Amino acid sequence: MSILPMNDMANTYIEHSIVIHNFVTTVGSQLKSSMCRVFGDSVKYKWIENENKPVIPDVSINCDIKNRRSTNFLGVPRFIMEVLSDATEQYDRTEKMELYKKVEVAEYWLVDWRKKQVEIYVLSPDENSIDDAEYKLISIITEENKSELKINLFPNIPIQFDQLFDCID
């Protein structure tokens, strides 16, 4: 299985970009004094697990920014967020999720701006295998439980539900 980047995002809604921008600006400003950086959907990653074909997450938190070649990061980000849309939802839930699991991205968010919902997955060891890990859905955040929204890998970096969905009606 290899994943090709989504090259034509012309059919995505502005809300898709707003959620990405809200996360990058809110979290990025808080990580400035750390070794980690937040990147929006203009950053490419290449991994042998994907036959070195570039993959472009909507948002990533990368703590290994020196591990790159040309315009591509080679290391694995600790956190990835994909913002769902009609054009990308199936791809984000299947092929991309499988690739991120394979390269061991520790935390994976699926954000649905249409429902104002965040699914938070954390990589956990597979009980049936020594070498494998699986994504475990640890929470689904909505308006009703919005105070529980947090980046599990960066618990001291707050992001509020209302900040993430700011300007989304």
Side-chain angles (χ1 to χ4, degrees), residues 46-101:
K46 283 189 177 183
W47 303 305
I48 57 172
E49 293 85 353
N50 193 39
E51 301 170 8
N52 287 316
K53 293 178 181 145
V55 63
I56 304 170
D58 286 334
V59 173
S60 59
I61 300 177
N62 190 334
C63 301
D64 186 20
I65 61 173
K66 293 185 186 223
N67 188 6
R68 64 183 183 185
R69 184 174 307 122
S70 184
T71 61
N72 302 292
F73 282 117
L74 304 176
V76 176
R78 297 183 65 198
F79 170 96
I80 287 181
M81 178 177 89
E82 296 290 355
V83 180
L84 303 177
S85 65
D86 293 339
T88 65
E89 182 167 5
Q90 185 64 24
Y91 178 62
D92 293 337
R93 289 186 177 282
T94 57
E95 292 177 58
K96 271 192 166 178
M97 186 180 234
E98 186 63 30
L99 175 63
Y100 298 155
K101 179 182 77 169

Side-chain angles (χ1 to χ4, degrees), residues 6 15 23 30 36 42 46 48 50 52-53 60 77 84 87 91 95 97 100 107 110 117 125 130-131 139:
M6 296 291 285
E15 289 83 356
F23 187 94
Q30 297 179 73
C36 303
S42 60
K46 283 189 177 183
I48 57 172
N50 193 39
N52 287 316
K53 293 178 181 145
S60 59
L84 303 177
Y91 178 62
E95 292 177 58
M97 186 180 234
Y100 298 155
E107 186 167 346
L110 290 172
Q117 175 178 295
I130 293 174
D131 298 324
S139 57

Side-chain angles (χ1 to χ4, degrees), residues 11-17 19 82-93 110-119 141-143 161 164-165 168-169:
N11 291 328
T12 60
Y13 287 86
I14 296 298
E15 289 83 356
H16 186 272
S17 295
V19 171
E82 296 290 355
V83 180
L84 303 177
S85 65
D86 293 339
T88 65
E89 182 167 5
Q90 185 64 24
Y91 178 62
D92 293 337
R93 289 186 177 282
L110 290 172
V111 177
D112 191 332
W113 62 267
R114 302 159 298 190
K115 295 178 183 177
K116 289 192 178 178
Q117 175 178 295
V118 181
E119 296 174 28
I141 307 297
T142 63
E143 184 72 37
F161 186 86
L164 184 63
F165 293 107
I168 307 287
D169 294 325

